[in-house]
Amino acid sequence: MVKFFHLFRNYYLGISFAGIIAFVIQEIPYMIMPLIKMKSNPIMNMPNEIPWIEKTQGIFGVLSMILLILIVRDNDKFFSIATYKEKAFFTITVLMILINFIGWAFYYLGFQYSWLIVISQFAVVPLYYLFFGLWKSNYLLKLPTPFGALSLEKSIL
């Protein structure tokens, strides 16, 4: 973690290496997608029928990444599971990304059912970032992540 300057209370503008790693981990399925030959790819070919949902989702997605990577707390450690709260939120964070990876494995194998995509690709990613923020006590990250649920509405409509 690198701190540039104090914003307010315990928050600083800086660089969170744990946040960068969390983002890269979540992007792994997209990184390997070009290496996998699939018969169909409904996620990448999904049209968005409601433009304001796409714009709102994009704005809050960028805000989430800014808060994840560029906002750090003064007492943030790279990795800590010393307290019960940290252990619980870290465990849930890992569970969310495992559900996501299992869903991607099924997706790549051709099991592209809409309910599985909604649960494993759209629902758990905002929850992954939410619980990551709770684990790292970056409570600012709680603000935009529920809006990731807009991707649920996009996929259902």
Side-chain angles (χ1 to χ4, degrees):
M1 165 187 58
V2 176
K3 292 187 264 184
F4 297 128
F5 63 86
H6 184 256
L7 294 172
F8 61 93
R9 296 183 62 182
N10 297 333
Y11 294 95
Y12 291 80
L13 181 65
I15 297 175
S16 169
F17 297 113
I20 292 170
I21 291 169
F23 174 72
V24 170
I25 288 171
Q26 189 270 320
E27 291 294 313
I28 289 172
Y30 293 102
M31 291 178 211
I32 64 170
M33 186 180 287
L35 305 174
I36 298 173
K37 303 292 182 206
M38 294 181 287
K39 292 179 184 175
S40 68
N41 192 349
I43 289 177
M44 293 295 127
N45 299 323
M46 184 184 321
N48 193 337
E49 303 291 327
I50 306 173
W52 71 268
I53 289 179
E54 186 173 12
K55 287 179 182 158
T56 305
Q57 181 185 2
I59 290 167
F60 284 106
V62 168
L63 183 59
S64 292
M65 293 308 104
I66 289 169
L67 293 173
L68 176 74
I69 296 171
L70 298 179
I71 305 297
V72 296
R73 289 181 48 90
D74 61 351
N75 59 352
D76 188 30
K77 297 179 183 80
F78 180 75
F79 184 84
S80 176
I81 52 172
T83 67
Y84 174 76
K85 182 181 102 173
E86 288 175 331
K87 288 176 188 170
F89 287 135
F90 175 74
T91 301
I92 296 169
T93 301
V94 170
L95 180 63
M96 292 298 109
I97 201 65
L98 287 177
I99 291 170
N100 181 252
F101 285 174
I102 291 167
W104 276 110
F106 281 119
Y107 183 82
Y108 290 145
L109 292 171
F111 299 100
Q112 299 171 346
Y113 305 113
S114 59
W115 63 269
L116 184 61
I117 293 170
V118 167
I119 292 169
S120 65
Q121 273 89 19
F122 295 129
V124 299
V125 173
L127 293 173
Y128 167 71
Y129 289 122
L130 173 66
F131 289 114
F132 179 86
L134 292 171
W135 169 51
K136 300 300 283 178
S137 297
N138 184 348
Y139 300 116
L140 294 176
L141 194 55
K142 292 187 333 184
L143 301 173
T145 52
F147 291 95
L150 288 172
S151 62
L152 282 174
E153 185 176 340
K154 172 185 164 187
S155 63
I156 292 170
L157 297 174

